[in-house]
Structures are given as C-alpha cells and as structure tokens.
Amino acid sequence: MNATVKVWDPLVRVFHWSLAGLLLANFFTEDGELVHRGIGYAVLALLAVRLVWGWVGTRHARFGDWVPGPRGVRDYLRARLAGRSQRQLGHNPGAAVMILALLVGVLLVGVTGWLQTTDAFFGTPWLEDLHEALAYGVLGLVVVHVLAAVGESVHYGENLIASMIHGRKRALESDEADHRGLR
C-alpha cells in the first residue's frame, strides 16, 4: 500500500518557493537598486508570516513539531551516519538545523540590507561587506540544502522536492499498519 498523507500545507509551500524565487531574483539585481530593496522587504515580510505560522500553523509547520534539541540532532546524525536513521513525515533533525540556519541567515541578510537604508548606516563599508558575506553564506547553505534534499530523496526513496510542490509524502509504515487494522 502506498498511502500518502498531507504534510506541507499551502502556506509552507508558498513560503518555501516564494523565498527561493525572491532570493534568486535578488542575486540578479544590483545592491541599492529599488528592485533589490523591494525584494528584500518582501523577503522580510515572508519571514514574519512564517515565524507567526511556526507558532499557530498546521502540525508540521509548527516549530514545536520539528525544532529538535541538541540530543535529538546528535542522535539523528549518529543514526544517519550509521545508516540506521528512520524516515520521518516532517523535517528530520538534520533538516531542521539547516532550516533554522537558513531562516536566521536570511533574516540577517535582510536586516543588514535594511540598516544600509538608514541614516545611521547609509554607505557604511563594513555593513555592505557584511551584507554581501551573509548573502553568499546563505547561498552556500541553499546549495547544501538542495544537495541534502536530493540525497535524502535517494536514501529514503521519496521525492522530497515534489512533496514541497504537492504537499504529500508517503505515509510512515506505522501509519499504514494503523490504516489496515494491523496495530
């Protein structure tokens, strides 16, 4: 039985792909241009919506469902490296750390960009350099994120990229047993 379950709600999916598109678009606009700033503000607005949704959203969107503690990350990474990790419906602890790093990185890029528009920091070279370094750092994280999604898709035999489009993933085996009355 290949039952699927809805995991990623529309807001999470729209946020994910909108953020990806906006970040990509901003790499092709010049710093300081009105379009670059507008995209940056849109990114900050998206982050604000996602942070609220992380507290009040659907099950797998809520931070309480997927943000692990240090032990959870350690245990997952040990199991993953040993080839014993279990597939999860929501984000696994390794993915959760990546997502948190991306969210913080994007927030820092946005804040340093906004600060450059203020009287106190307009034209400050160190802030421009920091903004650019953070942006390239986020780009590096995005590359790792995409490679990890492809690697996890192969490892677990599930197209995780497609699941971020349609929102569905294969049910866990324990869920399928429940549906067949085996548990």
Side-chain angles (χ1 to χ4, degrees), residues 2-170:
N2 286 325
T4 63
V5 292
K6 191 71 146 183
V7 176
W8 310 122
D9 66 65
L11 193 142
V12 168
R13 291 179 284 137
V14 168
F15 166 80
H16 179 271
W17 295 112
S18 297
L19 184 62
L22 289 171
L23 290 177
L24 183 64
N26 240 7
F27 268 97
F28 295 109
T29 62
E30 291 295 318
D31 293 338
E33 281 187 10
L34 188 58
V35 172
H36 185 85
R37 280 188 263 154
I39 292 171
Y41 292 137
V43 166
L44 288 173
L46 268 177
L47 283 177
V49 169
R50 182 60 182 96
L51 290 175
V52 169
W53 198 241
W55 294 107
V56 301
T58 58
R59 175 183 172 197
H60 294 294
R62 288 192 304 262
F63 299 130
D65 182 70
W66 59 269
V67 175
R71 267 187 232 148
V73 174
R74 181 199 66 206
D75 293 347
Y76 173 78
L77 292 176
R78 282 182 179 165
R80 183 67 178 93
L81 290 171
R84 294 180 285 108
S85 61
Q86 299 295 311
R87 186 178 148 272
Q88 298 180 22
L89 274 183
H91 293 299
N92 68 55
V97 169
M98 174 56 74
I99 293 162
L100 292 172
L102 282 165
L103 291 174
V104 169
V106 169
L107 179 62
L108 290 173
V109 170
V111 168
T112 56
W114 167 75
L115 284 173
Q116 292 178 69
T117 69
T118 66
D119 290 339
F121 293 102
F122 184 79
T124 306
W126 69 265
L127 189 58
E128 291 175 14
D129 292 343
L130 178 60
H131 178 71
E132 186 174 344
L134 288 167
Y136 280 105
V138 166
L139 183 60
L141 289 174
V142 167
V143 169
V144 172
H145 172 66
V146 170
L147 291 173
V150 170
E152 292 293 284
S153 291
V154 170
H155 179 72
Y156 291 115
E158 178 165 52
N159 189 337
L160 296 176
I161 296 162
S163 74
M164 282 304 294
I165 294 170
H166 52 65
R168 301 190 75 78
K169 289 178 77 176
R170 229 176 39 244

